[in-house]
Amino acid sequence: AQKITQTQPGMFVQEKEAVTLDCTYDTSDPSYGLFWYKQPSSGEMIFLIYQGSYDQQNATEGRYSLNFQKARKSANLVISASQLGDSAMYFCAMREFSNYGGSQGNLIFGKGTKLSVKP
Amino acid sequence: GAVVSQHPSWVICKSGTSVKIECRSLDFQATTMFWYRQFPKQSLMLMATSNEGSKATYEQGVEKDKFLINHASLTLSTLTVTSAHPEDSSFYICSARGTQRRTGELFFGEGSRLTVL
């Protein structure tokens, strides 16, 4: 079963509007972290926001906020006031802190959502 | 903030040659580095976990003899694609885990785009 699911292969949003990128996850580890990364066409991975499984409040970083619904196992990214420079691939990722498995706490990535901001 | 540098950014090589990609943590020590491969319009797939001073741990399906990983110091890990073939053409990204406890965040290199002719 997929551990990270991003159901939106592509999204369009009008400049200056808000957009929500969906992410659901699956884990039995009580301690985990959820990350969102932005990947522009140049390829580098840019960290946007982090939410820990025990964090009481939803994470916010500037125009980025994470709508964390633990019971539903969802961690949607909300981008407010979209800008043209927000056009990129967005990846949701998870790290399980208790169960290192064979990869010592590697990040597990979703398939990504391609966001296009229209002027 | 922590920075991870990856070199080269672009490389084109002939089939049968070997290519080395370096991943450096510039301002922190990274005992663990991860190597990913990303095909066009797809997600990052973990290839191997690189541990300083010990053998890398490879993911299922990744050829150890094909993708040689060396993590000789706390700030450098290298990935060597041996006897490269066109199907090895891909975007390779490294990441390093910082020592900060709060997030266990991974810092990513800029990526290396390999094209094998």
Side-chain angles (χ1 to χ4, degrees):
Chain A
Q2 279 193 332
K3 290 216 168 189
I4 296 287
T5 303
Q6 293 180 255
T7 57
Q8 307 150 315
M11 288 277 289
F12 286 93
V13 64
Q14 199 68 38
E15 192 179 8
K16 298 182 184 178
E17 291 185 351
V19 63
T20 298
L21 306 183
D22 295 341
C23 174
T24 58
Y25 59 93
D26 182 27
T27 181
S28 57
D29 194 329
S31 181
Y32 55 90
L34 297 159
F35 302 77
W36 276 92
Y37 284 87
K38 172 185 178 182
Q39 187 181 40
S41 56
S42 54
E44 74 268 30
M45 296 289 283
I46 302 169
F47 168 74
L48 296 178
I49 197 166
Y50 167 83
Q51 180 85 45
S53 59
Y54 292 119
D55 292 344
Q56 295 295 314
Q57 293 185 329
N58 287 348
T60 60
E61 291 284 350
R63 294 188 298 114
Y64 304 107
S65 60
L66 201 152
N67 185 0
F68 182 46
Q69 298 190 34
K70 195 170 182 177
R72 295 184 179 182
K73 292 190 175 178
S74 75
N76 299 339
L77 175 70
V78 180
I79 305 175
S80 63
S82 298
Q83 301 173 356
L84 296 178
D86 294 334
S87 295
M89 282 291 290
Y90 288 80
F91 291 98
C92 178
M94 176 176 67
R95 181 182 173 202
E96 297 166 314
F97 290 115
S98 301
N99 179 18
Y100 283 147
S103 297
Q104 301 184 41
N106 168 52
L107 282 180
I108 304 164
F109 286 89
K111 294 188 176 181
T113 296
K114 184 178 174 72
L115 177 66
S116 299
V117 180
K118 298 185 289 185
Chain B
V3 177
V4 174
S5 176
Q6 198 171 332
H7 177 80
S9 300
W10 294 82
V11 58
I12 301 173
C13 69
K14 292 183 178 180
S15 184
T17 61
S18 294
V19 175
K20 180 185 284 188
I21 301 170
E22 293 185 347
C23 180
R24 292 180 185 274
S25 57
L26 297 184
D27 58 357
F28 68 101
Q29 294 183 334
T31 55
T32 303
M33 290 185 175
F34 302 93
W35 286 96
Y36 299 85
R37 182 173 183 176
Q38 186 180 27
F39 291 106
K41 299 183 180 180
Q42 293 190 27
S43 188
L44 281 70
M45 299 301 297
L46 179 67
M47 297 175 65
T49 303
S50 170
N51 299 297
E52 188 269 335
S54 63
K55 291 183 179 180
T57 303
Y58 290 81
E59 295 300 299
Q60 192 172 11
V62 178
E63 299 176 61
K64 300 178 183 181
D65 297 331
K66 175 76 170 174
F67 299 100
L68 299 179
I69 291 173
N70 185 292
H71 195 154
S73 76
L74 286 171
T75 59
L76 174 64
S77 175
T78 60
L79 168 67
T80 301
V81 183
T82 62
S83 187
H85 290 282
E87 57 265 31
D88 298 326
S89 298
S90 190
F91 191 60
Y92 293 89
I93 310 176
C94 72
S95 69
R97 191 167 72 222
T99 54
Q100 67 281 15
R101 178 67 183 92
R102 188 181 77 92
T103 66
E105 178 187 346
L106 292 186
F107 299 97
F108 286 84
E110 306 95 330
S112 299
R113 199 170 299 278
L114 171 64
T115 301
V116 184
L117 302 176

